[in-house]
Amino acid sequence: MELAYYSDYAVRLVNTEEPVRGKDVLTSIEAVRGLFGENQSAARRATEADVTRFRSVRARLRAVFEAADGGDETLAVDLLNSLLLEFPVSPQISGHDHRDDDGRPLWHMHLADHPSNATAGYAAIAAMGLAFHLTEYGVDRLGLCEAAPCRNAYLDTSTNRSRRYCSDRCATRANVAAYRARKRLEADRSHSTGLTADSAQRTSANGER
């Protein structure tokens, strides 16, 4: 099953908003349809009402990432389970879009949704994909970017569970900021040490008089 593909639905939706920066790109039906990627048949089901519904699901998915990032595994699972109950899917075997060199179907598991609206369909796939990722790799593989003020969601697929940022750009920005902070600290310490040495010299000179 294409776990990364399905779990990416959740990441894409959560990252349409940057709460700390006050940014939100999920403001139109076109933005909603863009989240479906190549699944244009599902995207065409979207209506203006789905903008508000998508935002509601987004808040609930972000809460899952926040709980996981904060180390509260039970809360993350409980929140995700509530989404799974509300937005169920049906696993089906599919192969119509994938063929081997001999033209035979490459059978794989597909998550078929039966939604009453576009939001329900998207939420079902996003929640199931995230659930597969969580149970396969662990709750600690759901993270929020540490490069303030970003806080975008990401899925850690590194071999040593070392990922801390949502992108190389944020990792670079954080490293540059840390480097500059160290340099400022070193400069402050050097300046303080210089002042202390100068003060000691003056005290010694005064004592010799």
Side-chain angles (χ1 to χ4, degrees):
M1 187 174 289
E2 300 173 0
L3 299 180
Y5 174 78
Y6 288 122
S7 56
D8 191 54
Y9 270 58
V11 173
R12 289 207 303 269
L13 177 53
V14 171
N15 290 346
T16 59
E17 181 185 29
E18 295 182 62
V20 178
R21 290 190 172 115
K23 293 183 178 180
D24 186 351
V25 299
L26 192 57
T27 58
S28 66
I29 187 173
E30 289 75 17
V32 168
R33 288 172 176 164
L35 288 168
F36 285 91
E38 297 179 357
N39 192 351
Q40 291 304 303
S41 60
R44 284 192 290 271
R45 292 198 299 260
T47 66
E48 291 291 346
D50 284 300
V51 176
T52 300
R53 289 194 287 252
F54 261 71
R55 286 179 173 179
S56 176
V57 172
R58 178 181 65 187
R60 294 171 67 182
L61 286 171
R62 175 171 281 278
V64 174
F65 278 92
E66 288 175 343
D69 189 66
D72 194 335
E73 295 190 16
T74 301
L75 178 58
V77 170
D78 287 345
L79 292 171
L80 191 50
N81 272 336
S82 69
L83 284 164
L84 292 170
L85 288 171
E86 185 174 345
F87 303 106
V89 294
S90 301
Q92 294 181 351
I93 299 174
S94 177
H96 55 85
D97 293 329
H98 302 83
R99 303 277 174 173
D100 63 17
D101 294 338
D102 297 323
R104 294 176 299 184
L106 293 173
W107 302 112
H108 61 279
M109 292 301 295
H110 173 72
L111 298 182
D113 57 285
H114 308 285
S116 56
N117 55 65
T119 303
Y122 192 98
I125 294 174
M128 184 61 75
L130 201 57
F132 277 125
H133 193 95
L134 184 152
T135 53
E136 180 73 14
Y137 300 108
V139 179
D140 58 340
R141 294 294 188 136
L142 279 59
L144 292 172
C145 186
E146 293 185 14
C150 177
R151 302 301 284 168
N152 271 350
Y154 66 84
L155 299 172
D156 186 359
T157 57
S158 64
T159 56
N160 58 355
R161 300 173 183 264
S162 61
R163 186 169 178 178
R164 297 166 56 200
Y165 307 105
C166 68
S167 64
D168 290 340
R169 180 181 179 182
C170 276
T172 299
R173 189 173 73 246
N175 289 334
V176 169
Y179 173 79
R180 289 174 176 171
R182 287 195 302 272
K183 286 300 183 182
R184 285 195 298 271
L185 181 60
E186 290 173 2
D188 290 343
R189 286 175 175 172
S190 177
H191 181 65
S192 176
T193 301
L195 290 177
T196 301
D198 185 58
S199 177
Q201 290 177 353
R202 287 198 300 270
T203 300
S204 176
N206 290 333
E208 292 174 356
R209 293 172 187 170

